[in-house]
Amino acid sequence: MIAQRLRDTRGRVRPYLVLALGIALIAAVVLPVIALGSSRVPQPVAFNHLKHTQDLGLGCEFCHPYARTRAHSGLPDVTTCSMCHTSPQGTSAEAARVTELITAGDLLRFNKLFRMPDHVFYTHRRHVAIAELSCETCHGDIAHTERPPVRALVKVDMDFCLDCHRKQGATLDCNACHR
Ligand code: HEC
Ligand code: HEC
Ligand code: HEC
Ligand code: HEC
Ligand code: HEC
C-alpha cells in the first residue's frame, strides 16, 4: 500500500512523499521516545502506589510523614520499606528485588519528580493541615498508579495556585509565593 503510493504513475519514487513519511515517522515514534527517556526520573525500584494504598490500606502519611508539619512531605527510604520487605512479600519479581536490595544494604533513595523552581515558596503544612486540602487536589489520582509517574499528574503552575487562592480568598501577593 504505502510502497505503491510512494511511486508516481510511472513507477518513480516520489521524493516529497518519502520525505513527508520520514518526518511523520520521526514525529510519531522518535520524539515521544526521546521525551519519555529524558523526563523519567531514575528510581531504585518501581514502587506501586495502588498496591500499598488501596490493597494494603497504608495512608499517605505512613510514607510521606511531614505533609502536615513541614514544607516538604518527604519521601520514604529503606527504613520504611524494611518494616515489611526484609522478608519476601507477594510474588512479583519487583517485590523480590526490593528484598534483595535491602539485604544487600541498599538505602533505597527515591528521587523527587515534582519540584517547584527555587524562586517559589510552597509549604505542605499550610495547605494540608491548615487549609485541609486533600492530596488529590494537587497530585491527582496517584493513589491508583502502579508505576512511578513520569510527570506530575496535575499541572501545578502559577495559574493553578492563583486560581485556588482567588476562589478561597488566600493571598495573591507576589511576595507570599516568591521570596
Ligand atoms: C508505602 C509507601 C507509600 C505510601 C503509603 C504512599 N506513597 Fe507516595 N511515594 C512513595 C514512594 C516510594 C515514592 C517515590 C517513587 C514514586 O514516585 O513512585 C512516592 C512518590 C509520591 C509522589 C511523587 C513525589 C515526587 O515529587 O516524586 C506523590 C505526589 C505521592 N507519592 C503521593 C502520595 C499520596 C497522595 C499517597 C496516599 C494516597 C501516597 N503517596 C502513599 C511511597 C508511598
Ligand atoms: C496545594 C497543593 C498540594 C497539596 C494539597 C499537596 N501537595 Fe504535595 N506537593 C505540592 C507541590 C507544589 C510540591 C512540590 C514542592 C517543592 O518542590 O517545593 C509537592 C511535593 C510533594 C512530594 C515530593 C516530596 C516533597 O515533599 O517535596 C510529596 C511526596 C507530596 N507532595 C505528597 C503529598 C501528600 C501525601 C499530600 C496530602 C497529604 C500532598 N502532597 C498535598 C503541592 C501539594
Ligand atoms: C506494611 C507493609 C509494607 C511496607 C511498609 C512496604 N511494602 Fe511493598 N509490598 C508489601 C506487600 C504485602 C506487597 C505484595 C503485594 C501483592 O503482591 O499483592 C508489596 C509489594 C511491593 C512491590 C511489588 C509491586 C508490584 O507491582 O508487584 C514493590 C516494588 C514494593 N512493595 C516496594 C516497596 C517499597 C519501595 C517500600 C518502601 C517505600 C514498600 N514497598 C513498603 C508490603 C509493604
Ligand atoms: C486548592 C487550593 C490551593 C492551591 C491549589 C494552592 N493554595 Fe496556597 N493556600 C490556599 C489556602 C486556602 C491558603 C490559606 C491557608 C491559611 O488559612 O493559612 C493558602 C496559603 C498559601 C500561602 C501562605 C500565604 C500567606 O498568607 O503567607 C502560600 C505561600 C501559598 N499558599 C502558596 C501556594 C503555592 C506556591 C501554590 C501552588 C504551588 C498554592 N499555594 C496552591 C489554597 C491553595
Ligand atoms: C499563590 C502563589 C503565587 C503567587 C501569589 C504568585 N506566583 Fe508567580 N509563580 C508561582 C509558581 C508556582 C510559579 C512556577 C510555575 C512553574 O514552574 O510552572 C511561578 C512563576 C512565576 C514566574 C516565572 C515565570 C513563569 O511563569 O514560570 C514569574 C516571573 C512570576 N511567577 C511572577 C509573579 C508575579 C509578578 C506575581 C504577583 C503579581 C506572582 N508571580 C504571584 C506562584 C505564585
Side-chain angles (χ1 to χ4, degrees):
M1 236 334 239
I2 291 174
Q4 254 171 37
R5 296 213 172 181
L6 289 178
R7 290 170 191 280
D8 61 19
T9 41
R10 274 176 283 165
R12 284 186 308 224
V13 173
R14 300 181 194 198
Y16 64 94
L17 271 183
V18 174
L19 189 71
L21 197 72
I23 292 172
L25 211 79
I26 289 173
V29 181
V30 182
L31 292 181
V33 167
I34 292 173
L36 274 177
S38 57
S39 64
R40 185 173 285 282
V41 171
Q43 303 291 11
V45 295
F47 181 73
N48 182 331
H49 272 89
L50 179 87
K51 275 205 171 151
H52 294 84
T53 65
Q54 308 305 300
D55 301 352
L56 301 171
L58 298 176
C60 311
E61 287 165 58
F62 186 88
C63 292
H64 306 296
Y66 310 120
R68 304 189 149 266
T69 51
R70 297 190 192 169
H72 291 282
S73 293
L75 290 173
D77 64 15
V78 70
T79 324
T80 310
C81 314
S82 294
M83 291 180 199
C84 303
H85 284 281
T86 42
S87 53
Q89 301 293 332
T91 51
S92 78
E94 197 62 2
R97 208 163 70 80
V98 176
T99 305
E100 265 169 42
L101 286 170
I102 292 176
T103 310
D106 194 292
L107 298 177
L108 299 181
R109 287 226 173 83
F110 287 94
N111 293 303
K112 251 175 81 132
L113 158 79
F114 195 35
R115 192 186 291 281
M116 286 284 125
D118 287 342
H119 59 81
V120 174
F121 174 75
Y122 170 80
T123 168
H124 277 88
R125 186 185 76 87
R126 200 74 179 237
H127 293 88
V128 176
I130 301 176
E132 298 187 315
L133 299 171
S134 74
C135 314
E136 290 72 30
T137 314
C138 304
H139 295 300
D141 199 8
I142 191 155
H144 286 86
T145 57
E146 296 183 73
R147 286 287 174 269
V150 175
R151 62 184 71 78
L153 303 182
V154 172
K155 189 168 181 272
V156 177
D157 55 12
M158 179 157 129
D159 284 342
F160 183 80
C161 311
L162 286 177
D163 272 353
C164 177
H165 276 213
R166 215 171 276 123
K167 282 189 199 122
Q168 303 212 4
T171 185
L172 301 176
D173 181 359
C174 316
N175 296 321
C177 299
H178 300 289
R179 338 179 153 173

